[in-house]
């Protein structure tokens, strides 16, 4: 079964929404440091999904082996980008509240599983 473009966009939008809601909630409850940290974690998850979708779904029709190769390449690129982003964050933003970075990442990443339960039809 092919994944529709609306479904992919819907999951990415859901990741953005979860990231924003979590960051705003943390800003109100714990302050700016936790909000920024969770937002950065969510951003890493969002960028990984965008990279995956760009690579995996760059063609509409292809032989099964090509589709499998694209998904494998997309997953490897997403994994490398995620690891590099976390490494860069560790080096460049040492004062980050790491618990909230990982909570933000996991919260945004959970959108994929929620996306399986939601049927995005492409209507606004």
């Amino acid at each position: 079964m092919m994944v529709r473009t609306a479904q992919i966009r819907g999951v990415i939008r859901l990741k953005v929404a979860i990231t924003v809601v979590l960051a705003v909630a943390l800003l109100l409850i714990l302050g700016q440091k936790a909000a920024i940290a969770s937002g950065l974690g969510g951003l890493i998850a969002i960028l990984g999904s965008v990279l995956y979708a760009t690579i995996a779904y760059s063609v509409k029709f292809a032989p099964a082996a090509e589709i499998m190769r694209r998904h494998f390449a997309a997953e490897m690129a997403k994994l490398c980008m995620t690891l590099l982003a976390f490494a860069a964050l560790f080096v460049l933003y040492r004062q980050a509240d790491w618990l909230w970075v990982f909570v933000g990442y996991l919260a945004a990443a959970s959108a994929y599983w929620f996306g399986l339960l939601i049927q995005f039809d492409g209507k606004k």
Side-chain angles (χ1 to χ4, degrees), residues 43-102:
L43 182 62
I44 292 170
I46 293 164
L47 293 176
S49 293
V50 170
L51 179 62
Y52 184 100
T54 301
I55 294 169
Y57 300 106
S58 59
V59 296
K60 288 191 177 212
F61 299 102
E66 175 65 15
I67 292 171
M68 190 66 181
R69 187 191 68 73
R70 285 182 182 276
H71 280 277
F72 180 78
E75 191 60 44
M76 290 301 103
K78 177 182 166 185
L79 178 64
C80 289
M81 190 281 315
T82 300
L83 292 173
L84 287 172
F86 274 116
L89 193 60
F90 281 126
V91 170
L92 301 174
Y93 189 45
R94 293 189 184 273
Q95 66 271 25
D97 191 339
W98 297 108
L99 171 66
W100 295 112
V101 170
F102 290 118

